[in-house]
Amino acid sequence: MENREFTQEVLQEIQDRWSPRAFDPEKNVAKEDLIGLMEAARYAPSCVNQQPWSYIIGQRGNEVYEKIRASLTASNQEWAVNAAVLMVMVSK
């Protein structure tokens, strides 16, 4: 990861954030980890506690994954093909 310099105090978790575009095509994400992630998302704050969002989750090799990947631009499809999970968030 490249060295980044922050001019203001920023949480360490944000400083360490990294968004890869290269994924290990052999690595998978456990169903339990996805369920935990969605449980955390369920409790994310929203206006008037409405949580007006839904998630569409595809795991590599299933039809939902392929539909999500097909909806991406060609350049994003290139790196996404190796991601273990593709997720779309939709909101009212």
Side-chain angles (χ1 to χ4, degrees):
M1 178 170 58
E2 72 180 52
N3 223 356
R4 296 179 289 176
E5 293 184 26
F6 293 86
T7 58
Q8 299 294 316
E9 186 174 330
V10 176
L11 290 172
Q12 191 64 45
E13 292 84 357
I14 294 172
Q15 291 182 40
D16 294 342
R17 181 203 167 279
W18 178 62
S19 182
R21 288 200 174 213
F23 296 96
D24 182 344
E26 303 297 318
K27 187 162 182 154
N28 293 309
V29 176
K31 184 176 182 178
E32 298 79 30
D33 291 337
L34 286 174
I35 291 170
L37 178 63
M38 292 297 93
E39 183 69 2
R42 188 169 80 118
Y43 285 100
S46 67
C47 181
V48 220
N49 204 29
Q50 290 182 348
Q51 283 81 16
W53 46 72
S54 296
Y55 294 88
I56 302 167
I57 303 169
Q59 290 185 278
R60 188 187 310 113
N62 72 22
E63 183 180 352
V64 174
Y65 179 97
E66 292 306 323
K67 286 182 178 182
I68 294 171
R69 195 170 79 82
S71 73
L72 300 173
T73 63
S75 61
N76 284 327
Q77 287 182 29
E78 290 178 26
W79 62 261
V81 70
N82 291 325
V85 175
L86 294 176
M87 184 182 306
V88 175
M89 191 271 297
V90 293
S91 181
K92 295 178 188 175

